[in-house]
Amino acid sequence: MFVRLQGCPVGCPWCDTKHTWEVKPEQEATFADIPIKSVENEKWGAITESDLVKFCLDNYSARHIVITGGEPCMYDLTNLTRMFQAYEFTCQVETSGTYEVLVSEQTWITVSPKVNMKGGLALVPQALGRANEIKHPVGTHKDIDNLHELLVNYETKSDVVVALQPISQKERATALVWRSALKTIGDSLYKYTNI
Ligand code: SF4
């Protein structure tokens, strides 16, 4: 189940959820109208953390919550993730890595690092260090180089999962992702067979 929080100052040019960028008071709707949105629009609604947990419990059978946005880490999610977990939901947060990540200990963190975007925000080392998974958007070879640089310059968990995501599933980007992944596997095999 996706909980999409409103607000994002990062400014990625390819963003497919631009309707989440602004939190304009004139676009506030009643919460009841939000889950049944069938088309993208800039309406958002406010709800308390406990009412949100209750709403998900009462209306859906899924028990895995992905909190995304917008940029969800603009908000302190510690209480919300703990409350979901108290009702046996598992939680995952998807973030750009440009804000400190404040969540429960068990929450799975996916960082999709956004570097040099229009909003001018820098990556936050704490976010990279908290990541269980780094999901890197790839369009050209430069993006693969940026990922290597990022993995060298930031401290990450020793078991962090690194996933390459072809931007818009374009054919060229997908082929590049395949080649890079196979090369990494090849390099590791080479390394391990030469111990
Ligand atoms: S961080 Fe996510 S929501 Fe924000 S602009 Fe980038 S892609 Fe869009």
Side-chain angles (χ1 to χ4, degrees), residues 8 10-12 14-15 17 20-21 69-71 96 114:
C8 181
V10 178
C12 308
W14 65 82
C15 179
T17 53
T20 65
W21 285 10
E71 174 42 71
S96 61
K114 304 293 170 10

Side-chain angles (χ1 to χ4, degrees), residues 23-170:
V23 191
K24 293 184 182 157
E26 65 273 21
Q27 281 157 353
E28 182 172 3
T30 57
F31 181 76
D33 289 337
I34 299 302
I36 55 165
K37 271 206 301 195
S38 54
V39 286
E40 284 180 10
N41 59 52
E42 292 176 332
K43 288 199 168 120
W44 57 274
I47 188 170
T48 65
E49 290 163 329
S50 52
D51 282 350
L52 178 60
V53 174
K54 188 172 172 350
F55 179 85
C56 293
L57 268 176
D58 293 348
N59 291 283
Y60 301 97
S61 58
R63 289 292 175 265
H64 181 69
I65 300 284
V66 180
I67 304 172
T68 182
E71 174 42 71
C73 291
M74 287 169 67
Y75 307 98
D76 183 345
L77 303 170
T78 312
N79 211 27
L80 180 63
T81 47
R82 281 192 189 147
M83 284 171 90
F84 270 124
Q85 280 156 6
Y87 286 92
E88 299 188 353
F89 286 89
T90 49
C91 291
Q92 176 178 357
V93 170
E94 287 198 342
T95 174
S96 61
T98 54
Y99 283 82
E100 186 179 357
V101 175
L102 299 169
V103 291
S104 72
E105 222 173 284
Q106 298 86 349
T107 299
W108 178 272
I109 298 297
T110 301
V111 175
S112 183
K114 304 293 170 10
V115 187
N116 296 332
M117 294 301 147
K118 226 167 92 196
L121 298 178
L123 290 179
V124 173
Q126 185 269 358
L128 271 300
R130 178 60 183 80
N132 301 98
E133 174 183 42
I134 294 176
K135 191 175 75 171
H136 197 69
V138 173
T140 67
H141 223 288
K142 179 96 182 67
D143 298 317
I144 306 276
D145 294 342
N146 289 345
L147 173 63
H148 280 300
E149 205 178 302
L150 191 133
L151 292 174
V152 168
N153 291 334
Y154 289 86
E155 215 162 293
T156 54
K157 288 179 190 289
S158 57
D159 59 350
V160 69
V161 174
V162 178
L164 305 179
Q165 180 186 23
I167 291 176
S168 308
Q169 295 178 21
K170 285 186 183 143

